[in-house]
């Protein structure tokens, strides 16, 4: 299905990223085409109508689309649709040849390129040159790129043209120094494209000084301009700048490296707004490492550690390049960089043993050495020391369960399993079933189950237990109290055999309330699904027929609803 031409290239790329990052949800195929939700600054609703192999209409409630543009949310949903078509194809016929399946983006590009080459080959060479000249005359960006690619020198005039290209990107997307939401994506994509298509060519051709100067100009604009960056796209450009700096540094000689270092030292404060300065400081520290810089960093970390005195968690620091890193772990990395001995590092560890990150290291080391007694002692000690950090204690408990099981310590194993089940949120019955295996007495097991249920506030887990234990009356009461139709759907198969009347009544109440809210065909289909569920429960057919007859009278003007009733056999 051809739809890529409906989007500008940078919008298409962002749509692909949104799809790959899993931002598309509630994806469904409708009679008209596709419906989905896409996570952005908010949750946006996308509707796409498809006629055969053509997209005939698209809508999204994001501001960009409401201004008449095809947005990245629409593109993300269409990428998800391609994935859906491929998955359907694989499901239906696993052995179908690859060429008969939905083509990948790379294959589509290769096919398009082949057709383009075939077309261009049919055009006389003089005509091709004439067409290219017209494009070069009207597109300064293309002219700049071709000059970089095919001219073997870079003069001041060309450098000025490249700087003007950056200025054009800035001024065409801003008004009085502000880039609004509608232009933010074009602005950041334009700068990113400039770095990829111009600066990286300069780096390849060893115009390192010029590449560095242009990268710094781009970074200045992305780091200073007032912009509605609710999409967070400025970070992509900042990361591209960081990558260009790194590529330049790799090709520099000693003299050039020294100049780069001086530039970063003199510009790490005041060149861009505060949070963007972290990119400069991070690059200076990680790429121009010196003993003085390391010692300064250690002093900063020691100040953080001293403020955490009396706590069990020393916290983390954020690096624009490495993300969040534990303060103690980072401090020890710096000690190694300074050439500290293993003994000095171990002494530092013992001095800071109150922090759970240190004890986690010791536990890991003991387990690796198979010194299970030491590991067990550390885990038990840490459970007490870190009582104020529930998730830490949970991990210690899980490790203890594994150790007790491995060592055959039956009573300790039973006690730790019960501790887990009573104190933590679980999504499966793994520990519950493990506990059941070792408690063989019926009365003791029943008492244990009651104890777990009474101490557990996780309704979904409690329902799993009640279903597993076939305590269906209690399960039905819990579902009725929660008024969760999802839970009834999950356990209805068992419940309708034992308590058909209660299941029918809950479904009946649900659809009679829901019918007042829905107004589209998808909603009607959902109602019919539950009407059929009711009719398939013992003694439920009469109830379903009664509801259907009621709807025929009350909603007779809703043609789509009457049509859906007809499809499931409730309308003559």
């Amino acid at each position: 299905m051809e739809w890529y031409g409906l989007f500008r290239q940078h919008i298409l790329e962002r749509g692909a990223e949104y799809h790959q990052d899993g931002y598309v949800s509630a994806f469904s195929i409708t009679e008209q085409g596709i419906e989905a939700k896409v996570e952005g600054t908010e949750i946006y609703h996308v509707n796409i109508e498809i006629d055969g192999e053509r997209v005939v209409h698209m809508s999204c409630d994001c501001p960009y689309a409401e201004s008449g543009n095809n947005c990245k949310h629409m593109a993300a949903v269409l990428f998800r649709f391609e994935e859906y078509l491929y998955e359907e194809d694989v499901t239906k016929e696993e052995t179908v040849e690859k060429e008969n399946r939905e083509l990948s983006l790379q294959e589509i590009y290769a096919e398009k390129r082949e057709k383009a080459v075939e077309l261009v080959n049919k055009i006389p060479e003089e005509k091709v040159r004439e067409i290219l000249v017209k494009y070069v005359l009207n597109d300064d960006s293309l002219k700049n790129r071709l000059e970089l690619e095919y001219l073997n020198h870079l003069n001041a005039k060309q450098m000025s043209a490249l700087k003007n290209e950056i200025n054009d990107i800035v001024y065409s997307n801003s008004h009085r120094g502000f880039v609004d939401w509608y232009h933010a994506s074009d602005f950041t994509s334009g700068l990113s494209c400039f770095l990829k298509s111009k600066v990286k060519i300069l780096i390849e051709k060893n115009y390192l000084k010029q590449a560095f100067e242009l990268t710094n100009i781009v970074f200045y604009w992305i780091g200073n301009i007032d912009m509605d960056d609710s999409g967070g796209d400025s970070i992509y450009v900042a990361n591209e700048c960081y990558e260009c700096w790194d590529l330049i540094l790799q090709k520099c000689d000693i003299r050039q490296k020294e100049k780069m270092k001086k530039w970063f030292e003199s510009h790490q404060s005041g060149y861009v707004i505060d949070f963007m300065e972290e990119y400069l400081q991070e690059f200076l520290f990680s790429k121009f490492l010196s003993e003085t810089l390391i010692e300064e960093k250690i002093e900063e970390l020691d100040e953080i550690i001293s403020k955490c005195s009396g706590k069990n968690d020393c916290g983390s620091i954020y690096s624009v390049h490495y993300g969040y890193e534990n303060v103690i772990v980072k401090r020890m990395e710096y000690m190694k960089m300074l050439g500290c001995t293993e003994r000095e590092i171990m002494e530092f560890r013992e001095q800071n043993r109150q922090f759970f990150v240190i004890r986690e290291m010791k536990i890991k080391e003991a387990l690796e050495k198979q010194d299970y007694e030491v590991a067990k002692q550390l885990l038990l000690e840490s459970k007490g020391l870190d009582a104020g950090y529930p998730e830490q204690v949970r991990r210690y408990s899980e490790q203890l369960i594994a150790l007790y099981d491995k060592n055959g310590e039956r009573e300790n194993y039973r006690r730790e399993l019960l501790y887990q089940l009573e104190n933590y949120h679980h999504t499966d019955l793994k520990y519950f079933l493990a506990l059941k295996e070792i408690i063989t007495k019926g009365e003791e097991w029943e008492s244990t189950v009651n104890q777990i249920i009474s101490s557990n506030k996780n309704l979904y887990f409690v329902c799993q237990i009640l279903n597993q234990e076939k305590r269906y009356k209690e399960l039905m009461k819990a579902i009725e109290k929660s008024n969760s139709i999802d839970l009834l759907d999950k356990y209805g198969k068992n419940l309708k055999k034992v308590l058909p009347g209660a299941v029918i009544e809950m479904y009946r109440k649900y659809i009679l309330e829901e019918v007042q809210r829905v107004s589209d065909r998808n909603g009607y289909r959902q109602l019919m699904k539950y009407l059929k569920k009711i009719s398939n429960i013992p003694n439920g057919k009469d109830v379903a027929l009664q509801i259907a007859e009621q709807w025929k009278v009350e909603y007779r003007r809703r043609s789509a609803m009457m049509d859906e009733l007809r499809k499931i056999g409730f309308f003559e």
Side-chain angles (χ1 to χ4, degrees), residues 121-143:
N121 286 339
K122 290 179 180 178
I123 305 171
E125 187 176 334
E126 288 184 7
K127 189 67 177 175
V128 171
R129 290 183 179 278
E130 185 183 328
I131 294 168
L132 186 57
V133 167
K134 286 182 180 178
Y135 275 109
V136 169
L137 286 172
N138 293 298
D139 189 336
D140 288 338
S141 178
L142 176 61
K143 175 177 172 287

Side-chain angles (χ1 to χ4, degrees), residues 18-77:
Y18 268 45
H19 164 58
Q20 290 163 7
D21 291 343
Y23 290 169
V24 179
S25 63
F27 177 86
S28 65
I29 303 299
T30 68
E31 191 174 342
Q32 290 78 29
I34 314 164
E35 289 181 357
K37 294 178 184 177
V38 182
E39 184 181 345
T41 312
E42 301 175 10
I43 300 296
Y44 296 115
H45 297 78
V46 177
N47 283 280
I48 299 174
E49 291 181 24
I50 297 172
D51 183 9
E53 290 292 306
R54 284 190 318 116
V55 173
V56 294
H57 179 71
M58 295 189 289
S59 68
C60 175
D61 53 9
C62 76
Y64 187 69
E66 287 179 348
S67 299
N69 302 294
N70 290 343
C71 65
K72 57 193 173 187
H73 310 113
M74 298 170 181
V77 172

Side-chain angles (χ1 to χ4, degrees), residues 321 423 540:
H321 199 58
N423 290 281

Side-chain angles (χ1 to χ4, degrees), residues 199-256:
V199 171
K200 287 188 177 177
I201 291 175
L202 288 173
I203 296 170
E204 287 172 13
K205 294 199 163 192
N206 281 316
Y207 291 112
L208 303 180
K209 178 183 176 183
Q210 294 88 338
F212 187 59
E213 183 180 354
L214 292 169
T215 303
N216 296 343
I217 293 171
V218 171
F219 188 72
Y220 172 84
W221 281 114
I222 203 66
N224 283 298
I225 199 160
D226 191 11
M227 176 170 62
D228 180 352
D229 189 30
S230 50
D233 290 345
S234 63
I235 299 303
Y236 288 101
V237 182
N239 288 335
E240 284 278 355
C241 289
Y242 195 101
E243 185 181 336
C244 287
W245 288 329
D246 199 16
L247 291 170
I248 292 165
L249 186 64
Q250 290 173 29
K251 301 189 81 172
C252 280
D253 58 30
I254 294 173
R255 183 179 57 83
Q256 291 169 322

Side-chain angles (χ1 to χ4, degrees), residues 33 320 418:
V320 295
L418 188 56

Side-chain angles (χ1 to χ4, degrees), residues 313-372:
D313 184 6
C314 57
S316 299
I317 54 169
Y318 180 76
S319 157
V320 295
H321 199 58
Y322 299 105
Y324 286 98
E325 298 176 281
N326 183 276
V327 172
I328 292 287
V329 174
K330 198 67 186 173
R331 214 277 193 185
M332 288 193 289
E333 284 180 18
Y334 291 155
M335 290 176 75
K336 288 178 183 176
M337 290 178 188
L338 279 178
C340 293
T341 64
E342 193 66 31
R343 181 177 177 181
E344 287 172 322
I345 293 171
M346 292 301 290
E347 285 175 358
F348 173 79
R349 277 175 49 165
E350 285 304 310
Q351 288 166 8
N352 293 278
R353 197 173 180 279
Q354 78 271 21
F355 297 120
F356 53 67
V357 66
I358 296 291
R359 281 176 275 113
E360 281 182 328
M361 288 179 191
K362 293 171 74 71
I363 291 164
K364 183 181 177 183
E365 289 165 359
L367 289 171
E368 286 173 352
K369 293 176 184 176
Q370 297 186 358
D371 194 342
Y372 299 131

Side-chain angles (χ1 to χ4, degrees), residues 505-519:
E505 180 58 19
M506 189 166 174
Y507 276 138
R508 188 188 71 81
K509 285 181 180 178
Y510 170 74
I511 62 174
L512 290 179
E513 289 174 5
E514 198 67 15
V515 73
Q516 299 174 46
R517 300 189 187 98
V518 300
S519 58

